Amino acid sequence: MADVTMTVWRGDPSGGAFTDYVMPAVEGEVVLDVLHRIQAGPAPDLACRWNCKAGKCGSCSAEINGRPALMCMTRVDELPVGEPIVVAPMRTFPIIRDLVTDVSFNYTMARQVPPLAPRAPDAPDGTYRMMQIDVERGQEFRKCIECFMCQDVCHVIRDHEENKTQYAGPRMFIRFMELESHPLDTNDRRELLRQKMGLGMCNITKCCTEVCPEHIKITDNAIIPLKERVVDSAYDPVAWLGRKILRRTKRSAAEADADAPAKTHPTSADGPTPTPTAGIAASS
Amino acid sequence: MPDYESHDFDVIVIGAGGAGLRAAIEAQERGLRTALVCKSLLGKAHTVMAEGGAAAAMGNVWPEDNWKVHFRDTMRGGKMLNNWRMAQLHAQEAPDRIYELERWGALFDRTADGRILQRDFGGHRYARLAHVGDRTGLELIRTLQQRAVAVGIEVFMECKVLRLLKDSEGRVSAAVGYWRPSGEFVIFTAKAFVLATGSIGKSWQYTSNSWESTGDGHAMAAWAGADMIDMEFVQFHPTGMVWPLSVRGILVTEGVRGDGGVLRNSEGKRFMFDYIPPMFAAETADTEEEGDRWYDDHTNNRRPPELLPRDEVARSINSEVKGGRGSPHGGVFLDIASRRSAEYIRRRLPSMYHQFKELAGVDITAVPMEVGPTCHYAMGGIRVEADTEASTVPGLFAAGECSGGMHGANRLGGNSLSDLLVFGRRAGIAASDFAEGRTGAPAVADGEIAAVFAEATAPLERSDGESPYDIQRDLQETMQRLVGIIRTESELTEALVELDKLEERCKVLSVSGPRTYNPGWNLATDLPAMLTVSRLTTKGAIVRRESRGGHTRDDYPLPDPELGTVNLVQRVTTDGQYTLDPEPLPQMPAELRTLFEEDAH
Ligand SMILES: Cc1cc2nc3c(=O)[nH]c(=O)nc-3n(C[C@H](O)[C@H](O)[C@H](O)COP(=O)(O)OP(=O)(O)OC[C@H]3O[C@@H](n4cnc5c(N)ncnc54)[C@H](O)[C@@H]3O)c2cc1C
Ligand code: SF4
Ligand code: SF4
Ligand code: FES
């Protein structure tokens, strides 16, 4: 078989450049396999993330030939033959090194989501009854593997670092929608979404849906319905209540907001980890 | 000494898979200052990859099911070598742990009347696995991750712990490690430590495990003087992918067989009917017709032999391939396409469908898969006290895959996820109690800290040495070839010689590049643990001169009743020597023993 040329971005927060690696082609390989062979050969310090190598953990996101993709699920033989394969880090997040970026923004945003507040159990033994059809809506969103590629392509933050403090992004919008459609939940997060999570900044370009490796219909099934519900909250709280069919008790937006872990636990208000990567984020 | 950052907590949990998350949640909810440390990003631990489900005798599908049946299945699956008390606690508490996940937001698949649906798996008499399609691990880890965030646990991610250090009284007092992003050193002091570092599979060539499964927790506990048990028992899962070569070892869930898939050889024969062992003959179908009827009627039919415990199935596949009846790429065929509708397969096994389609170009709704055994799970590990998960070293607890005892000689599918929850919680409780009772601030000697730093940075200071990748590759080849699924004394002894050589090579390897996110350097720091667990596995395998569960000896093909009464307990002494002693199994009380008396069902 012919050789494959992989053009990999290498560098750190101070800058970097693309480097070509020419490797013998091996049948059936994915982009991540070739990177592993580069590590075991010419560049042992080439940084990239991975865990499952089967599209299940969302660690190995990168931009392959300019498009966000999981490196472990992109077969070399599906890319144009004879052309170099260009592998770059996700652009929206600060560089740590080579293909590894600082994705702590996503973890910080996750901390702002008020958690599930379950209704009272249905059965005397403390268990619940939920129908398959009712859990399926939430299950669609819970397929998310947190690859953060939808965050990467979203133009609201892709070239606008300043928006990151006030924008949850598509990954977190589906988390909100998951909770919103969760058969057990009683929290109302609509005001929070409108005022602090930047739902209004999304203008439904659908780029996020296009890159989602789990094929979650982020815009149609989460963002658009959320936008409708948030509008409802301003005009017609009764309509919203009606939609939350199985709910028995309901809590106010202020109560739900007060549940947000970032508030109840001030030690973690700066995000999940006091890692040095946070420092890099600030300096780049 | 190089600069380092330090943090002090009441409880430090090392590992953020299911076991570590559950332990940390418990400690934090009890009001202790708790932190989680993990090598990857939060939510990416090995647990995320689990597919089939979590076993718990909730009796939602088969009301006949209860903890006693689950307990019995677990012990028999483990060839009676399990710590009976752990198996009992596990069977009794698993349902509560599953319902708790539901309260925290997990959305399991449902029965028609709205309860949690349960699926069939090998070795479980009733459909028992709570699941979400074939992505149960993702549901479990995400639920626990979100709960951990909600209760405000501090998480130190992409931070690797190298060593545990003790105070002058022998209590574990500090964990020394480094940040992978910056390469800077960090020290965590605490009153109690929980190890939840997962598996050891990365020391084998073909494995379902991720890069993290280098046995760090196993090794760190052993280096700290903890007893290790059952290290010879490594589970080779019968169905890993075999082609393309680059994906060889990636798991194909047992759920495929639980949902109706069957194994065939190159002649199209369902060969498992030829391999039914006497211990399971009474409860295994001996005709295809009966096996097929069982899916709808468990009461009047016996289970198909494809659902025998994993060790049996893996060995059978191995002998079919050896006998020249394998598939083109050296496996056998796993066929669900001819047995279930395409719609059913896509709904029940979406990620398997996806995985084969994308990685192998195979449509599993149309043609059979090619599968073969892959290194999957470590039954052995840190010896713990059944009720508290306390190791034999004060201040050190262990839960999940890095602990030993619960699964005996062979683990049943689905029993790991529930194990993580049951014993993760128990470890969290006991570590909290220990921390509350501990007096004096944890203190360790500066000299010991400096020694850990020096050992870690040595490869960066050398040049012109071998690459850590070469040593890893040779280690994996050695373990695959000599300490694999079928073992013999001569090969095991040869493996020890090879391991000595690899250890010498490790002393002179070198890595280039900076310390910031340097995978070559990271691997160099993994190798000592990989070598230690490989040695423990090999040494145990030599002494266990019998075949039992996950340990098969070509030269001793039968179980030895004497060896069936002991655990092999190994220790690493302070000067690096390995010792091994057989110790009698804990004795099961009479009322539980009666469960095994009428063995024909
Ligand atoms: C593909 C696959 C499918 C499976 N399917 C099932 C199933 O359906 N049902 C079932 O019951 N079981 C299943 N298993 C087994 C089960 O998933 C594992 O046994 C279980 O997830 C192990 O969990 P754990 O919490 O012990 O460790 P892991 O989830 O492996 O987590 C280990 C953690 O420790 C951290 N760590 C390790 N070393 C260090 C260190 N030195 N410093 C800091 N942190 C460290 C890692 O970063 C990670 O966070 C499956 C396994 C695989 C591979
Ligand atoms: S649809 Fe909205 S969230 Fe998705 S990429 Fe476009 S702007 Fe971003
Ligand atoms: S929604 Fe899809 S694209 Fe976004 S993080 Fe989740 S899996 Fe990735
Ligand atoms: S390595 Fe897990 S998604 Fe690619």
PDB file of all heavy atoms in Angstrom, chain B residues 179-204:
ATOM      1  N   TRP B 179       0.611  16.983  37.129  1.00  0.00           N
ATOM      2  CA  TRP B 179      -0.409  17.412  36.175  1.00  0.00           C
ATOM      3  C   TRP B 179       0.030  17.020  34.789  1.00  0.00           C
ATOM      4  O   TRP B 179       1.120  17.414  34.375  1.00  0.00           O
ATOM      5  CB  TRP B 179      -0.554  18.932  36.194  1.00  0.00           C
ATOM      6  CG  TRP B 179      -1.136  19.501  37.435  1.00  0.00           C
ATOM      7  CD1 TRP B 179      -0.473  20.202  38.391  1.00  0.00           C
ATOM      8  CD2 TRP B 179      -2.502  19.460  37.831  1.00  0.00           C
ATOM      9  NE1 TRP B 179      -1.344  20.580  39.375  1.00  0.00           N
ATOM     10  CE2 TRP B 179      -2.599  20.144  39.049  1.00  0.00           C
ATOM     11  CE3 TRP B 179      -3.652  18.888  37.268  1.00  0.00           C
ATOM     12  CZ2 TRP B 179      -3.803  20.269  39.728  1.00  0.00           C
ATOM     13  CZ3 TRP B 179      -4.849  19.020  37.938  1.00  0.00           C
ATOM     14  CH2 TRP B 179      -4.908  19.706  39.151  1.00  0.00           C
ATOM     15  N   ARG B 180      -0.804  16.322  34.049  1.00  0.00           N
ATOM     16  CA  ARG B 180      -0.402  15.992  32.678  1.00  0.00           C
ATOM     17  C   ARG B 180      -0.276  17.234  31.799  1.00  0.00           C
ATOM     18  O   ARG B 180       0.675  17.347  31.033  1.00  0.00           O
ATOM     19  CB  ARG B 180      -1.345  14.953  32.079  1.00  0.00           C
ATOM     20  CG  ARG B 180      -1.221  13.657  32.890  1.00  0.00           C
ATOM     21  CD  ARG B 180      -1.860  12.418  32.339  1.00  0.00           C
ATOM     22  NE  ARG B 180      -2.936  12.587  31.427  1.00  0.00           N
ATOM     23  CZ  ARG B 180      -2.916  12.229  30.133  1.00  0.00           C
ATOM     24  NH1 ARG B 180      -1.830  11.705  29.627  1.00  0.00           N
ATOM     25  NH2 ARG B 180      -3.963  12.389  29.389  1.00  0.00           N
ATOM     26  N   PRO B 181      -1.191  18.219  31.893  1.00  0.00           N
ATOM     27  CA  PRO B 181      -1.037  19.391  31.032  1.00  0.00           C
ATOM     28  C   PRO B 181       0.268  20.166  31.253  1.00  0.00           C
ATOM     29  O   PRO B 181       0.904  20.590  30.298  1.00  0.00           O
ATOM     30  CB  PRO B 181      -2.253  20.252  31.373  1.00  0.00           C
ATOM     31  CG  PRO B 181      -3.256  19.288  31.908  1.00  0.00           C
ATOM     32  CD  PRO B 181      -2.465  18.232  32.631  1.00  0.00           C
ATOM     33  N   SER B 182       0.664  20.367  32.496  1.00  0.00           N
ATOM     34  CA  SER B 182       1.846  21.205  32.738  1.00  0.00           C
ATOM     35  C   SER B 182       3.090  20.396  33.065  1.00  0.00           C
ATOM     36  O   SER B 182       4.203  20.908  32.982  1.00  0.00           O
ATOM     37  CB  SER B 182       1.572  22.142  33.908  1.00  0.00           C
ATOM     38  OG  SER B 182       1.454  21.373  35.100  1.00  0.00           O
ATOM     39  N   GLY B 183       2.901  19.136  33.467  1.00  0.00           N
ATOM     40  CA  GLY B 183       4.044  18.339  33.904  1.00  0.00           C
ATOM     41  C   GLY B 183       4.532  18.710  35.295  1.00  0.00           C
ATOM     42  O   GLY B 183       5.522  18.150  35.775  1.00  0.00           O
ATOM     43  N   GLU B 184       3.853  19.633  35.973  1.00  0.00           N
ATOM     44  CA  GLU B 184       4.292  20.061  37.305  1.00  0.00           C
ATOM     45  C   GLU B 184       3.871  19.043  38.369  1.00  0.00           C
ATOM     46  O   GLU B 184       2.810  18.428  38.265  1.00  0.00           O
ATOM     47  CB  GLU B 184       3.676  21.420  37.660  1.00  0.00           C
ATOM     48  CG  GLU B 184       4.064  22.551  36.713  1.00  0.00           C
ATOM     49  CD  GLU B 184       5.548  22.900  36.806  1.00  0.00           C
ATOM     50  OE1 GLU B 184       6.125  22.752  37.898  1.00  0.00           O
ATOM     51  OE2 GLU B 184       6.109  23.301  35.761  1.00  0.00           O
ATOM     52  N   PHE B 185       4.662  18.953  39.423  1.00  0.00           N
ATOM     53  CA  PHE B 185       4.357  18.012  40.490  1.00  0.00           C
ATOM     54  C   PHE B 185       3.290  18.550  41.448  1.00  0.00           C
ATOM     55  O   PHE B 185       3.150  19.763  41.629  1.00  0.00           O
ATOM     56  CB  PHE B 185       5.624  17.671  41.283  1.00  0.00           C
ATOM     57  CG  PHE B 185       6.565  16.794  40.515  1.00  0.00           C
ATOM     58  CD1 PHE B 185       7.841  17.235  40.189  1.00  0.00           C
ATOM     59  CD2 PHE B 185       6.177  15.523  40.104  1.00  0.00           C
ATOM     60  CE1 PHE B 185       8.702  16.421  39.465  1.00  0.00           C
ATOM     61  CE2 PHE B 185       7.033  14.706  39.386  1.00  0.00           C
ATOM     62  CZ  PHE B 185       8.298  15.162  39.063  1.00  0.00           C
ATOM     63  N   VAL B 186       2.572  17.622  42.071  1.00  0.00           N
ATOM     64  CA  VAL B 186       1.526  17.991  43.017  1.00  0.00           C
ATOM     65  C   VAL B 186       1.446  16.924  44.109  1.00  0.00           C
ATOM     66  O   VAL B 186       1.689  15.743  43.849  1.00  0.00           O
ATOM     67  CB  VAL B 186       0.160  18.176  42.295  1.00  0.00           C
ATOM     68  CG1 VAL B 186      -0.194  16.947  41.488  1.00  0.00           C
ATOM     69  CG2 VAL B 186      -0.964  18.499  43.260  1.00  0.00           C
ATOM     70  N   ILE B 187       1.165  17.383  45.321  1.00  0.00           N
ATOM     71  CA  ILE B 187       1.039  16.447  46.444  1.00  0.00           C
ATOM     72  C   ILE B 187      -0.315  16.637  47.118  1.00  0.00           C
ATOM     73  O   ILE B 187      -0.717  17.762  47.417  1.00  0.00           O
ATOM     74  CB  ILE B 187       2.166  16.683  47.456  1.00  0.00           C
ATOM     75  CG1 ILE B 187       3.476  16.307  46.776  1.00  0.00           C
ATOM     76  CG2 ILE B 187       1.959  15.854  48.715  1.00  0.00           C
ATOM     77  CD1 ILE B 187       4.644  16.359  47.672  1.00  0.00           C
ATOM     78  N   PHE B 188      -1.004  15.541  47.313  1.00  0.00           N
ATOM     79  CA  PHE B 188      -2.275  15.569  48.038  1.00  0.00           C
ATOM     80  C   PHE B 188      -2.056  14.900  49.387  1.00  0.00           C
ATOM     81  O   PHE B 188      -1.699  13.727  49.436  1.00  0.00           O
ATOM     82  CB  PHE B 188      -3.352  14.805  47.277  1.00  0.00           C
ATOM     83  CG  PHE B 188      -3.619  15.348  45.900  1.00  0.00           C
ATOM     84  CD1 PHE B 188      -2.995  14.806  44.785  1.00  0.00           C
ATOM     85  CD2 PHE B 188      -4.508  16.406  45.715  1.00  0.00           C
ATOM     86  CE1 PHE B 188      -3.241  15.308  43.515  1.00  0.00           C
ATOM     87  CE2 PHE B 188      -4.754  16.914  44.450  1.00  0.00           C
ATOM     88  CZ  PHE B 188      -4.121  16.366  43.345  1.00  0.00           C
ATOM     89  N   THR B 189      -2.303  15.636  50.464  1.00  0.00           N
ATOM     90  CA  THR B 189      -2.303  14.981  51.761  1.00  0.00           C
ATOM     91  C   THR B 189      -3.746  14.805  52.190  1.00  0.00           C
ATOM     92  O   THR B 189      -4.621  15.623  51.856  1.00  0.00           O
ATOM     93  CB  THR B 189      -1.550  15.805  52.823  1.00  0.00           C
ATOM     94  OG1 THR B 189      -2.027  17.149  52.774  1.00  0.00           O
ATOM     95  CG2 THR B 189      -0.059  15.796  52.581  1.00  0.00           C
ATOM     96  N   ALA B 190      -4.017  13.728  52.919  1.00  0.00           N
ATOM     97  CA  ALA B 190      -5.383  13.464  53.376  1.00  0.00           C
ATOM     98  C   ALA B 190      -5.356  12.456  54.501  1.00  0.00           C
ATOM     99  O   ALA B 190      -4.340  11.799  54.745  1.00  0.00           O
ATOM    100  CB  ALA B 190      -6.247  12.962  52.224  1.00  0.00           C
ATOM    101  N   LYS B 191      -6.495  12.341  55.155  1.00  0.00           N
ATOM    102  CA  LYS B 191      -6.599  11.395  56.274  1.00  0.00           C
ATOM    103  C   LYS B 191      -6.966  10.000  55.783  1.00  0.00           C
ATOM    104  O   LYS B 191      -6.712   9.012  56.459  1.00  0.00           O
ATOM    105  CB  LYS B 191      -7.657  11.885  57.260  1.00  0.00           C
ATOM    106  CG  LYS B 191      -7.303  13.264  57.846  1.00  0.00           C
ATOM    107  CD  LYS B 191      -8.181  13.574  59.041  1.00  0.00           C
ATOM    108  CE  LYS B 191      -7.774  14.870  59.699  1.00  0.00           C
ATOM    109  NZ  LYS B 191      -8.681  15.979  59.339  1.00  0.00           N
ATOM    110  N   ALA B 192      -7.602   9.934  54.621  1.00  0.00           N
ATOM    111  CA  ALA B 192      -7.947   8.618  54.071  1.00  0.00           C
ATOM    112  C   ALA B 192      -7.910   8.681  52.551  1.00  0.00           C
ATOM    113  O   ALA B 192      -8.227   9.717  51.963  1.00  0.00           O
ATOM    114  CB  ALA B 192      -9.334   8.187  54.549  1.00  0.00           C
ATOM    115  N   PHE B 193      -7.539   7.565  51.941  1.00  0.00           N
ATOM    116  CA  PHE B 193      -7.407   7.490  50.487  1.00  0.00           C
ATOM    117  C   PHE B 193      -8.215   6.305  49.955  1.00  0.00           C
ATOM    118  O   PHE B 193      -8.188   5.231  50.540  1.00  0.00           O
ATOM    119  CB  PHE B 193      -5.936   7.287  50.085  1.00  0.00           C
ATOM    120  CG  PHE B 193      -5.081   8.493  50.356  1.00  0.00           C
ATOM    121  CD1 PHE B 193      -4.634   8.764  51.640  1.00  0.00           C
ATOM    122  CD2 PHE B 193      -4.761   9.375  49.337  1.00  0.00           C
ATOM    123  CE1 PHE B 193      -3.856   9.892  51.901  1.00  0.00           C
ATOM    124  CE2 PHE B 193      -3.990  10.508  49.578  1.00  0.00           C
ATOM    125  CZ  PHE B 193      -3.539  10.774  50.868  1.00  0.00           C
ATOM    126  N   VAL B 194      -8.897   6.551  48.856  1.00  0.00           N
ATOM    127  CA  VAL B 194      -9.621   5.459  48.196  1.00  0.00           C
ATOM    128  C   VAL B 194      -9.017   5.269  46.810  1.00  0.00           C
ATOM    129  O   VAL B 194      -8.967   6.220  46.021  1.00  0.00           O
ATOM    130  CB  VAL B 194     -11.127   5.770  48.044  1.00  0.00           C
ATOM    131  CG1 VAL B 194     -11.837   4.610  47.336  1.00  0.00           C
ATOM    132  CG2 VAL B 194     -11.768   6.063  49.392  1.00  0.00           C
ATOM    133  N   LEU B 195      -8.559   4.059  46.520  1.00  0.00           N
ATOM    134  CA  LEU B 195      -8.083   3.764  45.173  1.00  0.00           C
ATOM    135  C   LEU B 195      -9.245   3.212  44.357  1.00  0.00           C
ATOM    136  O   LEU B 195      -9.950   2.305  44.810  1.00  0.00           O
ATOM    137  CB  LEU B 195      -6.964   2.723  45.215  1.00  0.00           C
ATOM    138  CG  LEU B 195      -5.581   3.229  45.642  1.00  0.00           C
ATOM    139  CD1 LEU B 195      -4.643   2.042  45.859  1.00  0.00           C
ATOM    140  CD2 LEU B 195      -4.996   4.176  44.601  1.00  0.00           C
ATOM    141  N   ALA B 196      -9.452   3.793  43.180  1.00  0.00           N
ATOM    142  CA  ALA B 196     -10.507   3.304  42.280  1.00  0.00           C
ATOM    143  C   ALA B 196      -9.993   3.447  40.862  1.00  0.00           C
ATOM    144  O   ALA B 196     -10.606   4.062  40.006  1.00  0.00           O
ATOM    145  CB  ALA B 196     -11.793   4.107  42.485  1.00  0.00           C
ATOM    146  N   THR B 197      -8.815   2.855  40.636  1.00  0.00           N
ATOM    147  CA  THR B 197      -8.064   3.128  39.412  1.00  0.00           C
ATOM    148  C   THR B 197      -8.332   2.160  38.271  1.00  0.00           C
ATOM    149  O   THR B 197      -7.707   2.263  37.221  1.00  0.00           O
ATOM    150  CB  THR B 197      -6.556   3.084  39.714  1.00  0.00           C
ATOM    151  OG1 THR B 197      -6.297   1.891  40.454  1.00  0.00           O
ATOM    152  CG2 THR B 197      -6.126   4.279  40.542  1.00  0.00           C
ATOM    153  N   GLY B 198      -9.241   1.218  38.478  1.00  0.00           N
ATOM    154  CA  GLY B 198      -9.655   0.395  37.345  1.00  0.00           C
ATOM    155  C   GLY B 198      -8.688  -0.723  37.002  1.00  0.00           C
ATOM    156  O   GLY B 198      -8.055  -1.317  37.879  1.00  0.00           O
ATOM    157  N   SER B 199      -8.534  -0.981  35.711  1.00  0.00           N
ATOM    158  CA  SER B 199      -7.999  -2.250  35.216  1.00  0.00           C
ATOM    159  C   SER B 199      -6.505  -2.268  34.926  1.00  0.00           C
ATOM    160  O   SER B 199      -5.805  -1.265  35.120  1.00  0.00           O
ATOM    161  CB  SER B 199      -8.785  -2.650  33.966  1.00  0.00           C
ATOM    162  OG  SER B 199      -8.529  -3.983  33.619  1.00  0.00           O
ATOM    163  N   ILE B 200      -6.051  -3.411  34.434  1.00  0.00           N
ATOM    164  CA  ILE B 200      -4.638  -3.652  34.145  1.00  0.00           C
ATOM    165  C   ILE B 200      -4.417  -4.079  32.693  1.00  0.00           C
ATOM    166  O   ILE B 200      -3.309  -4.409  32.300  1.00  0.00           O
ATOM    167  CB  ILE B 200      -4.074  -4.772  35.057  1.00  0.00           C
ATOM    168  CG1 ILE B 200      -4.750  -6.132  34.762  1.00  0.00           C
ATOM    169  CG2 ILE B 200      -4.270  -4.424  36.535  1.00  0.00           C
ATOM    170  CD1 ILE B 200      -4.092  -7.314  35.480  1.00  0.00           C
ATOM    171  N   GLY B 201      -5.484  -4.072  31.889  1.00  0.00           N
ATOM    172  CA  GLY B 201      -5.463  -4.722  30.568  1.00  0.00           C
ATOM    173  C   GLY B 201      -4.423  -4.219  29.591  1.00  0.00           C
ATOM    174  O   GLY B 201      -4.094  -4.896  28.621  1.00  0.00           O
ATOM    175  N   LYS B 202      -3.891  -3.031  29.815  1.00  0.00           N
ATOM    176  CA  LYS B 202      -2.975  -2.441  28.830  1.00  0.00           C
ATOM    177  C   LYS B 202      -1.643  -3.177  28.753  1.00  0.00           C
ATOM    178  O   LYS B 202      -0.837  -2.903  27.866  1.00  0.00           O
ATOM    179  CB  LYS B 202      -2.760  -0.961  29.187  1.00  0.00           C
ATOM    180  CG  LYS B 202      -2.548  -0.052  27.989  1.00  0.00           C
ATOM    181  CD  LYS B 202      -3.653  -0.121  26.965  1.00  0.00           C
ATOM    182  CE  LYS B 202      -3.138   0.327  25.597  1.00  0.00           C
ATOM    183  NZ  LYS B 202      -4.066  -0.011  24.507  1.00  0.00           N
ATOM    184  N   SER B 203      -1.404  -4.106  29.663  1.00  0.00           N
ATOM    185  CA  SER B 203      -0.169  -4.886  29.561  1.00  0.00           C
ATOM    186  C   SER B 203      -0.290  -6.021  28.549  1.00  0.00           C
ATOM    187  O   SER B 203       0.667  -6.753  28.330  1.00  0.00           O
ATOM    188  CB  SER B 203       0.231  -5.453  30.934  1.00  0.00           C
ATOM    189  OG  SER B 203       0.578  -4.392  31.793  1.00  0.00           O
ATOM    190  N   TRP B 204      -1.470  -6.212  27.975  1.00  0.00           N
ATOM    191  CA  TRP B 204      -1.648  -7.227  26.934  1.00  0.00           C
ATOM    192  C   TRP B 204      -1.829  -6.535  25.581  1.00  0.00           C
ATOM    193  O   TRP B 204      -2.256  -5.387  25.504  1.00  0.00           O
ATOM    194  CB  TRP B 204      -2.858  -8.120  27.240  1.00  0.00           C
ATOM    195  CG  TRP B 204      -2.553  -9.159  28.275  1.00  0.00           C
ATOM    196  CD1 TRP B 204      -2.236 -10.469  28.040  1.00  0.00           C
ATOM    197  CD2 TRP B 204      -2.514  -8.996  29.709  1.00  0.00           C
ATOM    198  NE1 TRP B 204      -2.006 -11.118  29.239  1.00  0.00           N
ATOM    199  CE2 TRP B 204      -2.161 -10.248  30.270  1.00  0.00           C
ATOM    200  CE3 TRP B 204      -2.719  -7.919  30.570  1.00  0.00           C
ATOM    201  CZ2 TRP B 204      -2.024 -10.444  31.642  1.00  0.00           C
ATOM    202  CZ3 TRP B 204      -2.586  -8.102  31.933  1.00  0.00           C
ATOM    203  CH2 TRP B 204      -2.238  -9.349  32.465  1.00  0.00           C
TER     204      TRP B 204
END
